[in-house]
Amino acid sequence: AQRVTQPEKLLSVFKGAPVELKCNYSYSGSPELFWYVQYSRQRLQLLLRHISRESIKGFTADLNKGETSFHLKKPFAQEEDSAMYYCALSSNAGNMLTFGGGTRLMVKP
Amino acid sequence: DGGITQSPKYLFRKEGQNVTLSCEQNLNHDAMYWYRQDPGQGLRLIYYSQIVNDFQKGDIAEGYSVSREKKESFPLTVTSAQKNPTAFYLCASSPLGTGTGELFFGEGSRLTVL
């Protein structure tokens, strides 16, 4: 069975500080990993996907198969980054996603 | 305005009553999903449908039922058999077979059982 774990329910940092949201997964095959974000009063939306190797809003995430991790990082947090972040895994070529429990990021001024 | 529309946003139900949550999309997506969102537990898949007149159980389907009579509509019924129905429910859709991992979500419906 596949599983996604986000060990931190809440992460609080000051503006300009680096931020890392942790995500670990368990899956025996080759997973596809994603980060979704939900800003206050907005819909849940895709932030980035590992296969694209892209940087979105300054965020990056590297898939580490050896450590089964997909941590989300940003070198300098901004107040507008405050949101709920979910890590998700897809075990097939489709869009069936398993989500982690989510981490609330609070960026303080 | 394109996208996914869920209704109602807030719903109250007495114990023992069934309630149906509406989900409509005009994105011409083949696949639709229902997730339940609880604090600290993330999103858990209830049901999904990849084509009209076909749907599959997700991880927590017990106490729920769905139908997919039209491509654009995927209503979820929370039955009296659901032991803990108070939750936030999210509907999503996606194109089929793209493998992009991108789901398009509605604004959600909050169900409270009194």
Side-chain angles (χ1 to χ4, degrees):
Chain A
Q2 58 203 53
R3 186 178 178 88
V4 178
T5 303
Q6 295 178 248
E8 303 141 328
K9 290 188 177 181
L10 174 65
L11 184 62
S12 182
V13 301
F14 284 102
K15 176 183 175 181
V19 63
E20 180 181 66
L21 289 82
K22 292 183 168 52
C23 172
N24 291 92
Y25 67 90
S26 61
Y27 180 63
S28 56
S30 294
E32 293 184 30
L33 276 298
F34 310 88
W35 277 98
Y36 275 75
V37 61
Q38 188 169 28
Y39 300 104
S40 179
R41 296 190 180 89
Q42 293 188 29
R43 304 178 186 217
L44 188 62
Q45 58 187 292
L46 178 66
L47 178 62
L48 56 79
R49 53 178 74 92
H50 92 268
I51 197 168
S52 299
R53 303 184 69 81
E54 56 200 346
S55 174
I56 302 294
K57 298 184 178 182
F59 284 99
T60 60
D62 291 320
L63 178 60
N64 186 324
K65 291 186 178 181
E67 296 183 356
T68 60
S69 68
F70 187 57
H71 303 327
L72 183 68
K73 301 177 183 179
K74 186 170 183 177
F76 307 103
Q78 303 299 316
E79 290 183 68
E80 55 265 31
D81 295 328
S82 296
M84 193 75 181
Y85 291 81
Y86 291 95
C87 183
L89 176 154
S90 173
S91 59
N92 55 31
N95 292 326
M96 298 302 304
L97 299 181
T98 298
F99 286 86
T103 298
R104 180 167 297 281
L105 173 65
M106 293 180 59
V107 181
K108 297 177 288 187
Chain B
D1 184 24
I4 298 181
T5 302
Q6 289 186 238
S7 62
K9 286 191 176 181
Y10 301 95
L11 187 61
F12 297 88
R13 186 194 93 179
K14 293 182 179 179
E15 282 192 26
Q17 290 181 335
N18 292 354
V19 62
T20 297
L21 308 179
S22 170
C23 179
E24 304 277 332
Q25 56 100 358
N26 60 5
L27 300 171
N28 199 33
H29 288 166
D30 289 298
M32 296 187 74
Y33 315 81
W34 274 105
Y35 284 90
R36 172 178 169 141
Q37 189 177 28
D38 295 285
Q41 297 193 53
L43 282 72
R44 292 180 290 167
L45 183 64
I46 305 173
Y47 268 98
Y48 65 97
S49 168
Q50 296 182 320
I51 195 170
V52 174
N53 292 323
D54 187 51
F55 47 83
Q56 305 296 327
K57 292 182 179 180
D59 300 320
I60 55 166
E62 185 176 352
Y64 299 98
S65 66
V66 293
S67 63
R68 188 83 187 278
E69 297 179 0
K70 299 185 296 182
K71 185 176 182 178
E72 57 270 24
S73 179
F74 191 42
L76 173 74
T77 297
V78 184
T79 74
S80 57
Q82 168 52 231
K83 296 180 181 178
N84 186 22
T86 294
F88 191 64
Y89 292 88
L90 282 171
C91 180
S93 72
S94 73
L96 190 63
T98 59
T100 64
E102 184 165 15
L103 302 185
F104 294 81
F105 284 89
E107 293 182 310
S109 294
R110 184 169 298 281
L111 172 63
T112 303
V113 175
L114 305 173

